[in-house]
Amino acid sequence: MIIKLMIIALLAYLGAIGAPWFLGTTGGFYTLGRPLIAAALVGIILGDLPKALEVGVLIQAMYIGIITPGAVMPFDVDYIGYLTTALVILSNLDPKLAPTLAVPVGLIGVLIWNTIWVINVYFAHKADRYAERADYKGVALMNILPQIVNFALRFIPALVILYLGKGFLENLVTSIPPFINHYLQVVGGMLPALGIGLLLNMIIKEKIYLGIFLLGFLMVEYLKLPILAVALFGGVLSLFWFKFTSVNTKEV
């Protein structure tokens, strides 16, 4: 049984956003990390596919609208998919209890996610210093070491939770000090903003594009317009902008 639990814990790592091994994010987070696929894999491993799929359908329906804008993760659907399904099967619980069990699993996953981001900031700054000295081996090393952190902080907790069971999970959630939870949430919320700022700094060549980005942000945040509507408006605006600038370029 311990081998099966290790395989499930390994899949919980491979299905995370930061794991590049299974065709990158496309094959990892957006395939292995989906609750229904995770539940199916757990059902195959533990030999109870029907119950696993019942859990997977419930969880997938709960979190079908979850996105990670700027790496902000409200719930760790990867952890929820693997650990919740496994705990339901191992504890012989009614699949209808899966949504209740998914909440503490998701909380643990988010805490781990934020911790990983906080730790890996060190490697990012270290990689910048290596790059300034044209030390390519150092840059490569700073891309490998964070994966060791990712693996350790996702595989080991998942294995421990699966091995010790549902009761341990509930006790673990209640034992986390509130100030630690608050600190990780605050720092984890700042890092995505920093990431978006760095991304904009790289792709924006003219100030007008920053204005367009801020216009879209204001429309969503303050006018409460749907993101899809704003995205379509931005697409049409981009087509007009491209047409206008191309015509002016030909005239010149």
Side-chain angles (χ1 to χ4, degrees):
M1 178 60 70
I2 186 64
I3 300 299
K4 293 181 178 180
L5 298 184
M6 291 177 67
I7 294 173
I8 295 172
L10 178 61
L11 289 171
Y13 159 69
L14 293 176
I17 291 180
W21 312 115
F22 195 76
L23 302 177
T25 302
T26 301
F29 183 68
Y30 290 113
T31 301
L32 288 180
R34 297 303 91 188
L36 187 56
I37 293 176
L41 293 174
V42 171
I44 293 172
I45 294 169
L46 296 180
D48 195 346
L49 186 58
K51 178 179 282 190
L53 290 178
E54 288 185 57
V55 175
V57 168
L58 287 173
I59 297 174
Q60 185 72 63
M62 287 175 60
Y63 300 104
I64 195 169
I66 292 295
I67 59 175
T68 55
V72 176
M73 183 177 289
F75 298 98
D76 192 332
V77 292
D78 169 63
Y79 242 43
I80 289 172
Y82 286 104
L83 271 62
T84 301
T85 306
L87 290 173
V88 167
I89 294 175
L90 293 172
S91 302
N92 197 26
L93 299 175
D94 187 337
K96 294 180 180 179
L97 296 176
T100 303
L101 189 59
V103 175
V105 173
L107 174 61
I108 292 295
V110 171
L111 289 175
I112 292 173
W113 169 261
N114 289 336
T115 303
I116 289 173
W117 273 75
V118 171
I119 294 175
N120 284 350
V121 166
Y122 166 79
F123 297 108
H125 289 302
K126 193 74 172 177
D128 288 338
R129 289 194 287 271
Y130 280 126
E132 291 173 356
R133 301 198 299 266
D135 187 344
Y136 302 112
K137 291 183 178 179
V139 173
L141 181 63
M142 291 304 104
N143 281 272
I144 295 173
L145 291 180
Q147 285 306 317
I148 298 177
V149 175
N150 293 356
F151 175 79
L153 292 183
R154 292 194 68 85
F155 175 83
I156 295 175
L159 182 61
V160 170
I161 291 171
L162 292 173
Y163 183 77
L164 297 180
K166 175 175 171 289
F168 169 77
L169 172 67
E170 295 172 344
N171 293 333
L172 179 62
V173 172
T174 57
S175 66
I176 296 176
F179 76 92
I180 293 180
N181 188 13
H182 176 71
Y183 170 77
L184 291 174
Q185 288 178 351
V186 171
V187 176
M190 292 171 59
L191 290 173
L194 176 61
I196 292 175
L198 292 172
L199 179 62
L200 290 174
N201 186 55
M202 289 188 293
I203 64 176
I204 290 180
K205 297 180 180 179
E206 300 179 19
K207 299 299 183 182
I208 183 69
Y209 298 123
L210 180 60
I212 294 174
F213 172 81
L214 291 176
L215 176 62
F217 174 79
L218 292 173
M219 291 172 68
V220 173
E221 184 66 22
Y222 294 100
L223 298 181
K224 304 301 180 183
L225 295 177
I227 294 179
L228 179 59
V230 174
L232 292 174
F233 173 76
V236 174
L237 182 62
S238 299
L239 289 175
F240 278 112
W241 181 264
F242 176 76
K243 186 68 175 179
F244 175 77
T245 53
S246 63
V247 170
N248 287 347
T249 302
K250 291 179 181 180
E251 291 178 354
V252 173

